[in-house]
Amino acid sequence: MEIKSGPTGADKNRKIMVDVIKGFCILMIIITHVANKTPAFRHMIQYGFTVVPAVSAFMIMSAYVFTISEDHYAGRKQRPWAVWDWFRNDRFYPRLRRFLIPYLIMVICLCAGIVFLLKGRLTLSNVWEILTLGGRGPGAYYVILMFEFLAAFPFIKYWADRDPVTALFGMLAVNIAFESMARYVWNLSDVIYDRLLLRFTVQIALGILLATYQKKIAATALPLIAFIIGLVYLVSINYMDYEQVLKIGRFTSGSFFTGLFCFGLIVLFLELEETAQRFRILLTPLSFLGKASYHILLVQMLYFYFARSFQLEPSFGSLGKIILIDYAVTLIPGCLFYLISEGIGKIFRKPRPSVETKK
């Protein structure tokens, strides 16, 4: 979630709407996990059209910003991009650390909380399970998806660079085959299914193609067509009791139809970049949440896990108070976590001063 959109990561190169979109999505992710949501509240915020698509939007945006970064790198090198550019030590490991170190810190805090707050007992097997499943708490699956993303992305991009149409429909075929097998043959548990990137292959391909052909795509009716197809799907799911045939019933957020809905909206909002630049100051809070979204995700996982364990939320009172407290307890520490991580990261990334030799 927290990925630099420019080639150097400098703020002046960031596209504001990228962070604004991610900022809105992380707010929706938190709403997903708030306890005691009433049907009236879900209807008021149009839950199926604002909250449910958030994960698909994150996947599209992740592929989008990674592609921009890689294309800028190839441009600086003045040669075609290659898969191994992604795995260069000076490029891959900083990305891996950006995801891994905050995650490990969260796991340490989680284990400490289980031992000292819940008075639980952890064995090495328990700790290993926590690590490999993305932690505990709502949203843990996303962490594992992002590590899979780091491994799979360059190969999908390589295919898309050489034959974009075939790559898109190839990823669609892979997704349909996986969903069909997961539902009718393998009988996968929710724990395993949640953590398989195969359910988001179309979203990844859409993000790559959007970054590569943004102006051309925005000038066509494709975004509108994608939006309408996705909208029909979400309306059918939410208001017409449509039963999914290919996908496991409850997983609408990762459907490629939901991805099409997000794709249409994302193209529209990215086209508002010029307007966003004029209102940069007003958009700063939401933009900052987008930059800190990965750290916020980790904090909200931790918070909701212990909040559920101690049944805290019902004691807060009304749904409005629950939402305000949940937002405060996840956003404030999440933003601080991000600032501290960035500060420490800058210390280690600070270039060493050159030493001039005497002639």
Side-chain angles (χ1 to χ4, degrees):
M1 291 180 186
E2 177 241 335
I3 307 166
K4 305 297 184 184
S5 59
T8 64
D11 284 344
K12 65 180 181 180
N13 292 324
R14 294 188 76 98
K15 293 187 177 183
I16 293 176
M17 285 310 301
V18 168
D19 291 323
V20 167
I21 292 169
K22 293 196 298 176
F24 175 79
C25 287
I26 195 62
L27 292 176
M28 295 302 99
I29 293 293
I30 294 170
I31 281 290
T32 306
H33 304 139
V34 169
N36 299 334
K37 294 186 294 290
T38 63
F41 174 76
R42 289 172 179 263
H43 179 74
M44 180 184 71
I45 65 170
Q46 288 298 302
Y47 189 90
F49 306 95
T50 56
V51 176
V52 168
V55 177
S56 280
F58 265 128
M59 279 295 173
I60 293 173
M61 295 309 299
S62 295
Y64 176 83
V65 294
F66 271 134
T67 301
I68 289 176
S69 177
E70 292 305 287
D71 288 345
H72 280 156
Y73 176 79
R76 293 199 304 275
K77 294 296 182 180
Q78 297 184 336
R79 60 171 173 75
W81 181 83
V83 169
W84 292 112
D85 289 334
W86 176 263
F87 292 107
R88 285 175 56 93
N89 288 347
D90 60 335
R91 308 189 74 242
F92 183 75
Y93 288 123
R95 287 175 173 138
L96 180 61
R97 286 197 304 268
R98 191 173 293 125
F99 287 103
L100 183 59
I101 293 177
Y103 172 58
L104 292 178
I105 292 172
M106 185 277 295
V107 168
I108 291 171
C109 293
L110 173 63
C111 292
I114 291 173
V115 172
F116 296 108
L117 296 178
L118 300 182
K119 308 301 181 184
R121 181 176 176 272
L122 288 176
T123 64
L124 287 177
S125 177
N126 298 142
V127 174
W128 175 250
E129 181 183 356
I130 289 172
L131 276 171
T132 54
L133 291 180
R136 290 184 180 174
Y141 70 89
Y142 191 88
V143 179
I144 302 304
L145 288 179
M146 290 314 297
F147 289 120
E148 294 176 35
F149 187 103
L150 288 176
F153 169 80
F155 300 100
I156 300 174
K157 174 174 166 50
Y158 180 83
W159 189 5
D161 284 349
R162 275 141 190 80
D163 194 336
V165 175
T166 303
L168 177 60
F169 283 99
M171 290 297 98
L172 177 61
V174 168
N175 181 259
I176 291 174
F178 166 71
E179 296 290 359
S180 301
M181 295 295 288
R183 178 165 185 173
Y184 296 108
V185 180
W186 295 329
N187 194 27
L188 295 178
S189 69
D190 289 356
V191 172
I192 299 299
Y193 177 87
D194 265 351
R195 288 161 176 79
L196 293 178
L197 191 68
L198 289 168
R199 64 193 183 101
F200 288 107
T201 55
V202 174
Q203 285 87 329
I204 295 171
L206 287 172
I208 293 171
L209 295 179
L210 177 58
T212 307
Y213 305 103
Q214 184 173 343
K215 290 184 179 179
K216 292 181 179 179
I217 290 173
T220 69
L222 288 176
L224 179 60
I225 293 171
F227 171 78
I228 291 173
I229 292 173
L231 181 64
V232 169
Y233 166 79
L234 290 174
V235 169
S236 300
I237 289 288
N238 289 286
Y239 293 105
M240 301 175 68
D241 297 322
Y242 169 68
E243 292 290 337
Q244 298 191 93
V245 176
L246 291 178
K247 286 184 66 65
I248 298 173
R250 76 175 183 87
F251 293 98
T252 60
S253 62
S255 169
F256 69 80
F257 287 113
T258 305
L260 292 175
F261 174 82
C262 295
F263 178 76
L265 287 177
I266 286 171
V267 174
L268 170 64
F269 282 106
L270 289 178
E271 287 299 297
L272 299 175
E273 179 65 25
E274 215 174 289
T275 303
Q277 291 288 348
R278 291 201 297 268
F279 294 95
R280 190 185 191 102
I281 296 177
L282 290 177
L283 292 172
T284 294
L286 195 56
S287 177
F288 184 80
L289 293 182
K291 295 175 185 177
S293 56
Y294 179 64
H295 294 74
I296 294 171
L297 174 76
L298 296 176
V299 168
Q300 68 89 42
M301 284 166 47
L302 202 63
Y303 163 70
F304 281 116
Y305 176 74
F306 288 109
R308 300 289 191 272
S309 299
F310 290 106
Q311 298 183 343
L312 293 179
E313 288 173 287
S315 67
F316 296 158
S318 66
L319 178 59
K321 289 182 180 179
I322 293 174
I323 292 173
L324 287 176
I325 293 172
D326 284 354
Y327 269 140
V329 177
T330 55
L331 295 181
I332 295 173
C335 290
L336 290 174
F337 187 19
Y338 167 73
L339 288 173
I340 293 169
S341 297
E342 284 294 292
I344 295 173
K346 286 178 181 178
I347 293 173
F348 287 101
R349 290 194 299 266
K350 187 176 181 181
R352 296 178 181 178
S354 58
V355 179
E356 295 184 1
T357 57
K358 293 182 180 180
K359 294 183 180 180

